[in-house]
Amino acid sequence: MKSSKLKCVLIEDSAMQRRTISKLIKDNTSLFYLDEFRNGQEAKVFLADNDVDLIFLDIEMPIVNGFDLLESLEEKPQIIVISASAHHAMKAFDYNVADYLQKPVDKKRFDNAVKKALTNFRLENIEETEQDFIYINHQLKNTKLILNDILWVEAYGDYIKIISKDKNMLILSTMKAFNDQLPSDKFLRIHKSFIVNLDKIDKFNGSSVEIDGKIIPLSRHKKELLQNALVVVE
């Protein structure tokens, strides 16, 4: 099951450019920033053992340049090239890159490039996403609930409240019984009264997560589980 946030890395030899571009990445809510690398050789080691959806890639780097890295990858994630020069663009698009950005990178242009990559990602995974559902008993009817629509679930006395973007549903269930129906790679019970959709988390810290503007408490002993889940969610 794929996360709706793109797990991404940055490969850039300039420390100043890494600081600038990493801030753009962290400010974009469609991205989950895994790591950054000074050159292609360091990145190859990481890419061999980790699932990455999107690479922000500089071309002109020492040791292993951007094109050499692309040639070496057996499975290529989406690529957004970020280069100081426009003259690599034609060759870059031969590798079917999602976009080509020229330094200095404009935030609006950056966000548009991410939207392209996200659209490509969703098109590739739309059939899988549509199939992810469970049935719940709501208002005396068996109702199909699309898992990707759920933002979070909260305890409500003898009931639970399922919060989605378009509507909320109150059903008779315990948190444990409902949590047992959910895929553990997509949902996590982060507090005795809250289950969250990992794909929908915008921000988190040691005591809370934020989803769609709502601050949800995070139990202290769940922090490490949440950090691990956000890295491995697939």
Side-chain angles (χ1 to χ4, degrees), residues 3 15 35 44 65 74 89 97 138 157 160 189 198-199 227 231:
S3 167
D35 213 336
K44 282 175 66 175
N65 69 35
E74 292 184 10
V97 300
H138 181 239
I160 62 168
R189 189 172 182 179
L198 296 169
D199 291 353
Q227 289 174 322
V231 171

Side-chain angles (χ1 to χ4, degrees), residues 213-229:
K214 165 78 171 182
I215 304 300
I216 298 171
L218 169 65
S219 294
R220 184 171 55 187
H221 67 283
K222 295 286 188 176
K223 181 183 176 183
E224 185 174 353
L225 279 176
L226 177 63
Q227 289 174 322
N228 291 339

